[in-house]
Amino acid sequence: MGDLEPRINVPAVIAKGIISGIPLVGPVAAEVFWEVLPNKRLDRIEQVLDELGQRLSDVEPERVRRQMLEPVFVDLLDEGVRQATRTSSDQRLQEIAAVLAGGIREGDVAELDRKFLLHLLDELNDTEVLLLSMYGKEEPARTEIVKAHAAALVYELVAFAGPHSRPDVIEQEQVLGGHLKTGH
């Protein structure tokens, strides 16, 4: 068999056949698993790499290449791509690219555990990241982000107890702040 001949993944073909045979949802699920999701994953990888390239456009190409080939960065890139394939948020893709770019730009992948930063990012939802950004350095970009997403910081809490239960508007920070402080 030549190297250029396509290889058949027998277990995948069998699984696709079994899933396709499930009444009503099977054919659609097979299409989602074997066509839609792989294409979405590739699109997200392309987006995060494009964003990374934009963030590093002012860095010398040889330095980018050298840093990206370092084993510690290869591991970081692998983690970043894994997270990118699982998100549907463009903002999250930008955040992942920012962590990756910081590792190349600063050359601190080994000293500063950027993989740990990616794991933290993976544990937080978009609103929690927004809340944390409010505590960052006062910059025009941060101010724009907070203004653009101000509605996410307020929501209605419905009280079900008592004869005069009514929705009370509370700050999201009161609820999510507990998660950010305790990790629960």
Side-chain angles (χ1 to χ4, degrees), residues 112-168:
L112 175 63
D113 193 352
R114 291 193 178 268
K115 190 170 180 184
F116 178 71
L117 293 175
L118 279 178
H119 283 292
L120 284 177
L121 185 60
D122 196 32
E123 292 292 319
L124 300 172
N125 65 39
D126 289 342
T127 304
E128 291 168 331
V129 171
L130 176 62
L131 282 170
L132 287 174
S133 73
M134 292 174 62
Y135 293 100
K137 203 166 73 176
E138 191 68 39
E139 295 178 357
R142 182 183 75 94
T143 304
E144 286 178 34
I145 290 170
V146 171
K147 283 181 183 175
H149 300 287
L153 301 176
V154 178
Y155 75 100
E156 289 187 8
L157 178 66
V158 179
F160 293 102
H164 303 320
S165 298
R166 63 180 184 81
D168 293 318

Side-chain angles (χ1 to χ4, degrees), residues 35-96:
E35 293 177 33
V36 175
L37 287 177
N39 290 338
K40 279 184 127 353
R41 287 182 183 124
L42 288 174
D43 289 346
R44 291 177 191 140
I45 291 170
E46 182 182 356
Q47 277 183 271
V48 81
L49 292 176
D50 185 51
E51 180 71 23
L52 178 60
Q54 289 176 31
R55 288 173 181 267
L56 296 173
S57 63
D58 62 330
V59 178
E60 178 189 332
E62 183 53 37
R63 179 178 177 179
V64 172
R65 177 178 161 63
R66 195 173 49 250
Q67 292 284 75
M68 286 186 73
L69 292 175
E70 288 290 323
V72 68
F73 186 82
V74 170
D75 192 37
L76 180 68
L77 182 62
D78 181 52
E79 178 64 23
V81 166
R82 183 191 65 76
Q83 286 187 29
T85 62
R86 292 182 27 237
T87 188
S88 59
S89 164
D90 289 342
Q91 179 65 33
R92 186 57 58 109
L93 291 173
Q94 291 175 9
E95 292 160 354
I96 293 167

